[in-house]
């Protein structure tokens, strides 16, 4: 599945609790996350490139290790070039739901801004 497939198959209301796991300070940003979520769902993806989006364990330096999205996959192209990438989940990683994965990708995608022009 591609990044966009995850967004199109997720319920935003179920994404919210996972976004808030990054911190309650993001509660005020829920409307902006919703806008970004809707933009991705309506956006046309560019043809896939040779990059994939990986869900990996954090390094062992972090205690406890946590699941994260490899950030390089989200900051080297405009959103339209990212959302067509295939998603790969490393062995041994179990995400709670498609919304869990979508929340992690949405958080990473919006790290620099909530719209493609801001990022």
């Amino acid at each position: 599945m591609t990044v966009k497939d995850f967004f199109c198959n997720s319920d935003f209301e179920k994404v919210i609790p996972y976004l808030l796991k990054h911190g309650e300070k993001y509660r005020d940003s829920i409307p902006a996350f919703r806008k970004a979520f809707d933009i991705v769902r309506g956006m046309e993806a560019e043809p896939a490139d040779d990059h994939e989006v990986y869900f990996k364990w954090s390094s062992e330096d972090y205690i406890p290790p946590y699941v994260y999205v490899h950030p390089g996959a989200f900051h080297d192209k405009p959103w339209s070039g990212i959302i067509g990438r295939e998603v790969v989940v490393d062995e041994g990683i179990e995400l709670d739901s498609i919304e869990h994965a979508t929340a992690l990708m949405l958080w990473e995608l919006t790290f620099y801004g909530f719209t493609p022009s801001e990022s």
Side-chain angles (χ1 to χ4, degrees):
M1 280 184 17
T2 66
V3 171
K4 183 174 178 174
D5 292 335
F6 274 81
F7 278 72
C8 288
N9 289 294
S10 291
D11 175 345
F12 184 75
E13 294 303 315
K14 294 179 180 176
V15 169
I16 293 171
Y18 294 106
L19 291 171
L20 295 177
K21 284 186 177 186
H22 284 285
E24 275 296 315
K25 64 184 177 186
Y26 293 108
R27 185 169 297 283
D28 292 340
S29 298
I30 295 301
F33 280 118
R34 175 63 195 227
K35 180 179 178 181
F37 178 85
D38 290 341
I39 288 170
V40 170
R41 289 171 60 118
M43 183 178 274
E44 187 71 34
E46 292 177 15
D49 58 19
D50 60 347
H51 290 84
E52 295 173 322
V53 172
Y54 288 93
F55 283 93
K56 300 177 172 256
W57 288 111
S58 66
S59 75
E60 293 176 9
D61 297 338
Y62 294 97
I63 298 174
Y66 62 95
V67 176
Y68 77 104
V69 180
H70 185 269
F74 277 86
H75 304 297
D76 65 341
K77 286 186 116 176
W79 287 13
S80 59
I82 294 165
I83 64 172
R85 291 178 173 166
E86 289 294 319
V87 176
V88 176
V89 180
D90 276 1
E91 188 175 326
I93 292 179
E94 292 185 27
L95 299 164
D96 295 342
S97 65
I98 192 169
E99 284 84 12
H100 184 188
T102 301
L104 291 169
M105 290 187 282
L106 179 59
W107 191 85
E108 192 64 51
L109 188 68
T110 60
F111 190 78
Y112 293 110
F114 290 102
T115 66
S117 62
E118 293 174 341
S119 291

